[in-house]
Amino acid sequence: LSRGLGDVYKRQGVYATLANLKGKKFHSISNIGKAPTFESDRELRVECHLFDFNEDIYGELVTIEFVDRIRSEIKFKSIEDLVNQIQLDSQFAKKILKTL
């Protein structure tokens, strides 16, 4: 189910993931990359969005299980294009995660 971090960091992009928080698993979508739509020289970072989740978890330990790769990270022409793609990616990730 999970891939090793070595494999993931070699393949920047968007992933269907499971976020582990306080002993519970949440369906999520994650991006590994540099957010090229906004800046070209950013450091590599991991961002994770938990579906149907609305709590303040700053300072909490969250581990991420990478389930499936959705696509490579790309630079979009506009923020609107990025937002539209995020919505499509999220729908696809939910379909993938529903099978678990």
Side-chain angles (χ1 to χ4, degrees):
L1 179 66
S2 299
R3 296 190 175 118
L5 284 179
D7 293 339
V8 172
Y9 283 115
K10 291 178 188 173
R11 299 193 67 197
Q12 295 177 31
V14 179
Y15 292 84
T17 55
L18 293 172
N20 299 293
L21 171 67
K22 297 181 182 179
K24 295 180 184 176
K25 290 187 180 187
F26 298 90
H27 290 181
S28 56
I29 189 167
S30 299
N31 181 70
I32 297 176
K34 298 183 178 185
T37 301
F38 297 101
E39 296 178 33
S40 60
D41 61 345
R42 293 178 83 169
E43 292 181 17
L44 188 70
R45 63 177 63 186
V46 177
E47 298 173 300
C48 182
H49 171 74
L50 284 62
F51 296 126
D52 305 315
F53 186 87
N54 189 20
E55 293 179 32
D56 181 356
I57 57 172
Y58 285 96
E60 297 289 340
L61 177 64
V62 178
T63 59
I64 301 168
E65 294 179 47
F66 292 86
V67 177
D68 201 1
R69 189 166 196 265
I70 295 174
R71 65 172 174 83
S72 297
E73 183 178 55
I74 57 175
K75 182 174 182 170
F76 291 91
K77 293 180 183 177
S78 69
I79 293 175
E80 181 179 280
D81 289 346
L82 171 61
V83 169
N84 290 335
Q85 185 62 52
I86 289 170
Q87 290 172 344
L88 293 172
D89 293 341
S90 294
Q91 290 172 2
F92 189 57
K94 287 177 182 180
K95 286 181 185 179
I96 292 168
L97 297 166
K98 187 183 276 189
T99 65
L100 300 180

